[in-house]
Amino acid sequence: MSDPMRVRATESGGVVDVKILMKHDMETGQRKDASGKAIPAWFISTVTAKANGKDVFKGEFGPAVSKDPFLNFKYKGAKGDKITVSWVDNKGGKRTDEATAS
């Protein structure tokens, strides 16, 4: 399993601001290693965020997204919301992490 995501969520005026740093190499499939052999594509393909079990963000990534992607979004919510962020990569790897809105 990959390194944990850094998930921060802060509430202000009924709006929760969520910031996520995902640790992933995000290979495009176009780079070559030292011997000249192509490095296979390996990237996050889907990202989902839920607040108290309800979807608040869904997205699809591709090979053009940089290494260790950063994602920021807002939704209407409250302090204490439990935010669960999950991603799946194109090789079937998965990661899920949680945070609480403060």
Side-chain angles (χ1 to χ4, degrees), residues 4-9 18-22 44 46-51 56-57 61 71 73 75 82-88 94-99:
M5 289 181 269
R6 296 180 71 178
V7 181
R8 304 285 186 261
V18 181
K19 297 178 182 190
I20 307 162
L21 179 61
M22 297 171 252
I44 294 173
T46 59
V47 178
T48 304
K50 296 180 181 233
V56 291
F57 179 88
F61 285 8
L71 179 62
F73 65 91
Y75 74 93
K82 180 179 167 184
I83 295 130
T84 306
V85 181
S86 303
W87 59 251
V88 178
K94 298 177 183 180
R95 180 80 204 185
T96 300
D97 290 294
E98 297 178 350

Side-chain angles (χ1 to χ4, degrees), residues 2-92:
S2 63
D3 292 338
M5 289 181 269
R6 296 180 71 178
V7 181
R8 304 285 186 261
T10 55
E11 185 272 340
S12 178
V15 176
V16 177
D17 185 19
V18 181
K19 297 178 182 190
I20 307 162
L21 179 61
M22 297 171 252
K23 301 295 280 179
H24 198 285
D25 286 343
M26 303 294 283
E27 287 292 342
T28 65
Q30 296 180 0
R31 287 186 336 120
K32 297 184 191 245
D33 62 16
S35 66
K37 186 177 177 184
I39 299 170
W42 181 43
F43 54 88
I44 294 173
S45 55
T46 59
V47 178
T48 304
K50 296 180 181 233
N52 298 327
K54 180 181 175 187
D55 286 345
V56 291
F57 179 88
K58 283 188 176 184
E60 294 183 10
F61 285 8
V65 177
S66 69
K67 178 180 177 178
D68 299 336
F70 175 78
L71 179 62
N72 183 207
F73 65 91
K74 296 178 183 186
Y75 74 93
K76 289 184 181 179
K79 283 186 182 179
D81 282 359
K82 180 179 167 184
I83 295 130
T84 306
V85 181
S86 303
W87 59 251
V88 178
D89 68 24
N90 66 319
K91 292 185 178 180

